[in-house]
Amino acid sequence: GGKNVATVAGSTTAWTDNGVQASTAYSYTVDAFDAARNVSNQSSPATVTTPAGGGGGGGGGAGPAEPIIIIMMENKQYTDIVGNANAPYIQSLIARGTLYTNYEAGPGSLPDYLAMTSGLTGSTSASNNIFNQLQSKGISWGEYEESMPSVCDKGGDTGSYKKAHNPAVYYNDITSSSSACANVVPYSQFQTSNLRAFSYVVPNLTDDMHTGSTRTAEIGAGDAWLAANVPAMLSAGAEVILTWDEGSSSNEHVATI
């Protein structure tokens, strides 16, 4: 027999079941009733099967309806990006998605990465953070660092990899747990065929608009990286959020798409 999982107002046209488990079949029916408790015939069942949980972080938690991917770019203020003809792919994302026009970052890369993932900018080693929250709930997650030399690398900068752009390794609850630390991986391990519920993607210094011969070159290289990588994420059904860690010392207004 079934059970009542929700009662909603008559004007409601959509409802989300947040109590489901991975790799499980569910069948839903709907019936309606009026103020006098007259009940309609039950609808035909709608049967769905939830996808398997992604790797890492364990299973059993109810993740988001769509995989979430946050992509971090570097050091460009809002006016550098929005409307820039040297970033045609980003303009296409703005056209098809949502541009948030009043998002302000703070100065300094590491404080911004820590604030985004823990709400704090300093003394964060023992603080709670989004990675640990997902881990403790059994919701799959991964931090993907392009050009990081090894899984959960705790060393310093290497080539175009920047440790200060890797917030997960600054949290003791991640680095002290082998199962959690295993979710901090080089971007080469990112697979759109096996998306985790939450992915935090950080391109390397060449691809994130941080470093280049000119500002125009930096923006063009970052746009090219996004054009090469984001379409597959969107085709896999992910909700992709693109943002910048900071703007400039004089203007921290950044684009978020």
Side-chain angles (χ1 to χ4, degrees), residues 16-246:
T16 300
D17 187 350
N18 292 314
V20 298
Q21 301 294 317
S23 303
T24 304
Y26 294 88
S27 182
Y28 299 89
T29 59
V30 178
D31 52 29
F33 59 90
D34 60 19
R37 308 300 293 185
N38 297 308
V39 181
S40 71
N41 293 328
Q42 200 167 70
S43 71
S44 298
T47 301
V48 296
T49 300
T50 54
E66 297 173 312
I68 295 171
I69 301 173
I70 295 178
I71 302 176
M72 293 299 303
M73 306 301 277
E74 280 278 326
N75 295 15
K76 298 294 176 285
Q77 60 195 41
Y78 185 95
T79 53
D80 290 328
I81 299 301
V82 178
N84 189 333
N86 293 307
Y89 183 69
I90 294 175
Q91 307 316 310
S92 75
L93 292 177
I94 292 171
R96 69 180 289 181
T98 301
L99 172 65
Y100 293 90
T101 60
N102 195 30
Y103 186 73
E104 296 280 338
S109 284
L110 181 57
D112 283 326
Y113 282 87
L114 296 177
M116 175 177 280
T117 54
S118 73
L120 301 173
T121 59
S123 301
T124 57
S125 61
S127 68
N128 202 356
N129 56 84
I130 190 171
F131 308 119
N132 184 55
Q133 290 173 1
L134 294 167
Q135 183 80 11
S136 64
K137 295 295 184 181
I139 298 174
S140 62
W141 66 276
E143 187 189 65
Y144 298 90
E145 294 279 335
E146 189 177 31
S147 301
M148 183 171 65
S150 61
V151 173
C152 203
D153 190 272
K154 304 180 189 69
D157 300 345
T158 303
S160 57
Y161 162 73
K162 183 76 171 175
K163 182 182 180 182
H165 301 172
N166 182 353
V169 298
Y170 288 86
Y171 301 123
N172 291 343
D173 47 20
I174 301 302
T175 58
S176 64
S177 166
S178 59
S179 61
C181 215
N183 294 326
V184 183
V185 297
Y187 181 70
S188 58
Q189 296 189 22
F190 183 84
Q191 297 179 344
T192 55
S193 61
N194 186 29
L195 290 175
R196 306 184 188 196
F198 177 80
S199 298
Y200 194 81
V201 174
V202 184
N204 64 30
L205 293 177
T206 300
D207 294 329
D208 68 0
M209 303 189 183
H210 185 283
T211 302
S213 57
T214 65
R215 199 167 188 81
T216 297
E218 292 167 358
I219 293 171
D223 189 73
W225 187 93
L226 293 168
N229 288 271
V230 172
M233 300 176 186
L234 296 173
S235 294
E239 184 76 19
V240 178
I241 301 169
L242 172 64
T243 193
W244 280 255
D245 77 315
E246 58 181 318

Side-chain angles (χ1 to χ4, degrees), residues 6-18:
T7 300
V8 298
S11 59
T12 301
T13 58
W15 174 78
T16 300
D17 187 350
N18 292 314

